[in-house]
Structure formats: C-alpha cells, structure tokens
C-alpha cells in the first residue's frame, strides 16, 4: 500500500498527486482522495514528513466527509443538468420537426407590398412593404423573433410572431443570412426605440441565403477581441460592421462634397493614367514593373499630367490612386492611397493657400449641413467641430524656432542618415536647425499643441521636389520654395502643395541639378514652351483627411481594402 504525502505549505490539492514530489496541501483532501492509506504530513518544506496526530485525523475526516457531500451534490447537479439538456434537445428536436410542417405562403388578399430600400421607408409608414437584406442582429424572445435587417442604406427592426415565427427557417435563422421580409411598416410603440423610429410587422418572409452556424458562425470568425492580423484577413467581413461601414459611407459623402466644392470653383475633373514612365517625388518610392518590355511605374502623383490640361481645360482636378513604395508601417501611411489633386492657372502662392483653405472648409460645412452625413460624423467623432478660418500660417523658419522654443527635439543622424545613439543605446536627441527636414513626430506634436489647422510654408529647395517655384527672399538664409503643407491636429500633414516653376530655363536647370534626364519629360517641359503661366497645385490624401474628420486612429480604417508593406490581401 503506497504512502500519500501532504505538504501544508507548498503542496496543492488542485495539481498535486499525493507523491513526495507532488504532495497535496490538506490532510482532508488526501483522505477524501485515497481513504485511510498511510499518510505522512509536514508543516513546511524544511520539516520532515510525519504521521498525522489522531486529533488531526479526526478533524480531517470531517473535512473529507464534507468534500464527499460536495462531490455527490455536484454529481447530482451534473446529472440533473444533463437530463435537462437532454430533455431540451428532445424538445428542440420535436419543435424543429413540427416546424417543418409550417409552410408560409404570401396572402394574395393583402395589399400588394411596395418593394423598397430601408433608407427610403419613411414615406411608406402604414403601408405593406417588401425589403431584403442581411440579418444584422437577431433576438428570440418569448416566441417573438426580433430581426435588425441591414441592406446598406440603413437598419430596420422586423418583428416575427405567431405562424411566421414557427417555421423551420425561423428557428434555425443565423446572423448574416440574407432574407426577404414582407409586412406592414408601423411606428415604434411609445417607450420603445428602433432604427428610423419604425418597425416592420412581418406577415411573410423567406430565407434567400442561409449563413452557417456553429464553428463557422459569423461571431465565431470575427469579434471585438479578434487579432489585428485576423481583422485584416477578414476585411470583407469587417466592413459589415456598423463602425467600418459608417466610415466608408462618410468617405463616399466626403468625395462627393469635395467634387461639389471644386466644380463650384470651375475646376474640371479629369482621369490621368496610373501607369507612367516618369517620376514626380523621387525614384526611391516607385513601384517598378515591366510594361511590354519597357520600364514603367505605378504613379506617385498625377500632378504632371494635370499641368498639361491647363491650356485646354482650364483648372482641373482628379481623384486617383497613387502608390508609394515606402517600407513604412506608421498609422498614417499606405502603399496605395486615394489622391485628390488639383492644378490651377494664373494664381499666386497666397491664392493657392486660400483656395485649399476654402475647399476644405466648404466641404466640411456641406457635410455637417447634410443630416445624413452629420449623423455619421457625430457617430464616429462626437466632439468634432468645423475648423475656423483663416488657418494659421507658419513659415518653415518660424516653425524651427517654435520647435526649439518648446523643447521638441529630433533624433540626430550621421551623414548617411543613420540614427546616432548614446552609450546606453538610446537615440541622441538634438535641437532642430534651419535646413533640417522636420521629422513627422515633431511636426505632429507641434500641430497637436497648437490644436488648429496649420499651413507650414516656405520649405528649403533642397528638401522639396524639382518642379517647385523658388520664393523671392531678401538677405541670407536658405533658398526656399513657394510650397506648403497643411497640418491637421491628430493626423499631421493631409495636403502638400506648391507653385510650379513656370520658366523653361529654370526647369531645365532643375532637371540638371537633380540628375534627371529631361528627354522623357518633353511633354511636361512643353508646358513652359507653348505659352507658360504662373500656376500651382496640391495633393490631398483622402484617407488622412477622413482619419481627421472621423477621428480614426489609423488611415487603414479609412480605406476599403488598405494596402501597406506586406499586405495585398484580400
């Protein structure tokens, strides 16, 4: 007969096995588990094992009796629950079998139902309507089934009771199934709430496409605790959610409002190519591919093509995808993003900034004035307020001074662009100097402190693209450009713009300075040859603008199917 060991300090009744290596913690549990086999006990790990005293045994037996009573009670409870579950399964199975006999047919004596989208139901109150969509929410309550239906235009509460709630399809209905529902549209009873203030009392319905239950059920594949990588893989399901769909609806309204603002300013929309053989922002960020044996790239910007439209079409804009091959994983970078770009002729640098400011303010005011989009903005960003005009304008040189005055530093870099670290391995932080490219983090921190939209303008020429017009300045200092970035709190840069070089000789010199072969740019250079003019333009990142408007943490939430380094699915 083997000996059972009890260590009252380091033993465990949960994980112990009663051996000398894995002792129990209590004498009562040892007796409950092994009966009156030889038992040795010690008070702590430093003491030797000894036989328990008679008084300890007597007390432990009472404890073991209590454990036995608990075991029997738990066993009885488990048996009762198993019986109840068995009876429930039998009742459920019987109910399902009976439900198969219930066959619904639409009553021809009732008024003909009007087919409508959920978003268009308001004028049809009191009438019989026919709607189709996806089961967004589902609740079975006392023989009444409540369905919240979604069809992309809105949400509708539907009530199934009586015969229509007793069909096999009703008893086995799952989330995200597609259904057609017919019934009378009625106001929600006093004291109750529902989307749109009305509900559908269903008299006929059918399942058009059942969604799986069990392990494959929608909520098992996707929920609030899902890992970000799973959310990215299941983006096609994520966009069915109320927040994701609200962002995409606001995006659509935003683009429509932008177009209205631009057209009102006599800009014409054009559609430039995405496959190009010239670069705009530098070769390091180009996606290159073979185009019938010739090198080609996915466009970084449509600016050069927009400039060619000015002599024939006047001021123009486009809403086009742009591509940047930057291995950046920040919350405001995408490899593919929607680029709203515009070019305007016969303007000054002040005209350009005034135009950008006006378009943005008009666009936002129009969105807030529309009840449907105002609701979306309130849902996504409850504390949003429209920006006031005029926007703050801050020169690059003054921004450098502001950063230093406020103790906002940046990481020091060597001549090769590598971060310099101290003896502890931490990045060495230094003040900003004129000529530095202001780091994204410092720029965003400054904007967040200021708390208002900021036009940062007048960047040194060596930091900007070859086509930007130089600013007329007096005295010493860097040669600056008539360029600007519009910064928004919480996001940072959302617009980049500049006046363009209008003189052909200055442009040819810029090609040479940057080491660019002018031959492929002949069509761009011709704009300065055949009737040049002062002109400028800008590019606005739609996803960044939407992230600001809807208070989204990352621009990845603001794209239908976002692309970033390593992510090109689904």
């Amino acid at each position: 007969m083997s000996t059972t060991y009890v260590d009252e300090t380091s033993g465990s009744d949960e994980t112990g096995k009663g051996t000398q290596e894995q002792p129990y913690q209590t004498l009562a549990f040892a007796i409950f588990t092994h009966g009156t086999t030889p038992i040795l006990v010690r008070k702590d790990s430093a003491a030797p094992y000894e036989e328990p005293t008679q008084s300890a045994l007597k007390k432990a037996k009472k404890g073991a009796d209590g454990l036995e009573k608990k075991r029997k009670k738990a066993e009885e409870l488990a048996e009762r629950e198993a019986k109840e579950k068995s009876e429930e399964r039998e009742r459920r199975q019987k109910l399902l079998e009976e439900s198969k006999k219930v066959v619904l047919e639409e009553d021809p004596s009732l008024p003909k139902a009007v087919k409508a989208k959920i978003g268009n139901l308001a004028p049809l109150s009191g009438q019989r309507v026919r709607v189709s969509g996806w089961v967004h929410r589902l609740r079975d309550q006392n023989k009444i089934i409540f369905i919240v239906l979604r069809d992309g235009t809105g949400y509708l509460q539907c009530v199934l009771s009586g015969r229509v709630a007793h069909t096999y399809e009703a008893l086995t209905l799952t989330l995200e199934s597609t259904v057609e529902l017919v019934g009378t549209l009625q106001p929600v009873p006093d004291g109750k709430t529902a989307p749109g203030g009305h509900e559908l009392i269903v008299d006929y319905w059918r399942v058009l496409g059942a969604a799986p239950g069990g392990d494959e059920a929608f909520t098992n594949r996707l929920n609030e605790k899902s890992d970000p990588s799973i959310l990215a893989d299941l983006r096609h399901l994520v966009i069915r959610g109320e927040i994701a769909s609200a962002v995409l609806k606001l995006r659509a309204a935003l683009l429509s409002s932008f177009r209205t603002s631009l057209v009102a300013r006599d800009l014409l929309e054009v559609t430039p190519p995405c496959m190009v053989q010239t670069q705009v922002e530098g070769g390091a960020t180009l996606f290159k591919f073979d185009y019938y044996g010739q090198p080609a790239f996915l466009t970084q910007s449509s600016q050069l093509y927009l400039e060619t439209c000015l002599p024939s079409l006047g001021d123009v804009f486009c809403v086009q995808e742009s591509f940047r091959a930057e291995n950046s994983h920040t919350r405001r970078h995408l490899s593919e993003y929607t680029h709203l770009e515009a070019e305007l002729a016969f303007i000054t640098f002040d005209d350009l900034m005034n135009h950008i400011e006006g378009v943005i303010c008009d666009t936002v005011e129009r969105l807030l004035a529309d009840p449907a989009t105002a609701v979306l903005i309130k849902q996504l960003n409850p504390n949003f307020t429209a920006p006031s005009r005029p926007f703050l304008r801050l020169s690059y040189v003054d921004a450098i001074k502001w950063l230093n005055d406020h103790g906002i530093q940046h990481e020091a870099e060597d001549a090769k662009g590598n971060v310099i670290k101290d003896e502890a391995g931490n990045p060495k932080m230094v003040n900003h100097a004129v000529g530095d490219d202001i780091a994204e983090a410092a720029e965003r921190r400054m904007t967040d402190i200021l708390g208002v939209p900021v036009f940062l303008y007048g960047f040194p020429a060596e930091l900007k693209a070859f086509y930007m017009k130089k600013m007329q300045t007096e005295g010493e200092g860097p040669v600056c450009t008539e360029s600007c970035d519009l910064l928004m709190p919480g996001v940072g840069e959302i617009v980049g713009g500049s006046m363009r070089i209008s003189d052909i000789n200055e442009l040819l010199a810029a090609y040479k300075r940057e080491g660019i072969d002018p031959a492929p740019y002949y069509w761009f250079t011709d704009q300065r040859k055949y009737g040049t003019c002062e002109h400028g333009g800008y590019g606005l990142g739609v996803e960044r603008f939407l992230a600001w408007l809807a208070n989204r943490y990352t621009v990845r939430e603001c794209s239908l199917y976002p692309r970033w380094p390593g992510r090109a699915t689904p």
Side-chain angles (χ1 to χ4, degrees), residues 178 190 193 205 310 326:
T178 46
D190 292 340
T193 59
W205 73 288
L310 295 177
E326 296 175 272

Side-chain angles (χ1 to χ4, degrees), residues 446-460:
M446 177 182 71
T447 310
D448 289 347
I449 291 172
L450 293 171
V452 294
V454 180
F455 270 120
L456 193 57
Y457 70 90
F459 295 92

Side-chain angles (χ1 to χ4, degrees), residues 81-191:
E81 288 178 348
K83 183 180 179 181
E84 289 173 353
K85 286 181 180 179
S86 177
E87 291 173 349
E88 175 60 26
R89 281 196 300 270
E90 289 179 7
R91 187 195 68 78
R92 172 75 175 171
Q93 191 59 40
K94 184 178 179 181
L95 192 62
L96 288 174
E97 289 301 320
E98 291 176 352
S99 70
K100 292 177 182 178
K101 300 174 185 177
V102 181
V103 179
L104 293 183
E105 291 184 0
E106 191 169 355
D107 188 345
S109 68
L110 293 174
K112 185 177 180 180
V114 178
K115 186 176 181 180
K117 294 286 188 179
I118 293 173
N120 301 327
L121 288 177
L124 300 176
S125 183
Q127 298 184 44
R128 193 163 176 265
V129 299
R130 184 185 305 272
V131 291
S132 300
W134 287 259
V135 177
H136 186 66
R137 285 196 287 273
L138 180 63
R139 180 163 51 96
D140 191 339
Q141 185 176 13
N142 297 327
K143 298 182 180 180
I144 299 177
I145 297 174
F146 292 91
I147 295 173
V148 173
L149 191 70
R150 180 189 76 240
D151 74 349
T153 69
Y155 300 89
L156 174 66
Q157 179 169 287
C158 308
V159 183
L160 281 64
S161 62
R163 184 177 172 82
V164 294
H166 295 158
T167 65
Y168 181 80
E169 289 76 13
L171 298 180
T172 58
L173 189 60
T174 52
L175 288 176
E176 294 303 321
S177 293
T178 46
V179 294
E180 178 188 64
L181 299 160
V182 183
T184 303
L185 192 66
Q186 295 184 353
V188 177
D190 292 340

Side-chain angles (χ1 to χ4, degrees), residues 264-322:
R265 288 168 169 76
D266 297 319
L267 274 76
L268 182 75
E269 183 170 6
V270 294
T271 309
C274 281
M275 296 187 294
V276 301
Q277 291 185 303
T278 51
Q279 65 188 52
V280 180
E281 301 294 344
T285 63
L286 285 166
F287 283 111
K288 187 175 181 180
F289 64 96
D290 181 89
Y291 185 70
Y292 299 105
Q294 302 178 57
F297 314 98
L298 294 177
T299 186
Q300 301 164 310
S301 167
S302 298
Q303 175 207 319
L304 305 190
Y305 293 98
L306 293 181
E307 288 190 46
T308 70
C309 298
L310 295 177
S312 58
L313 303 175
D315 299 344
V316 292
F317 77 96
C318 72
V319 180
Q320 187 75 288
E321 299 308 293
S322 284

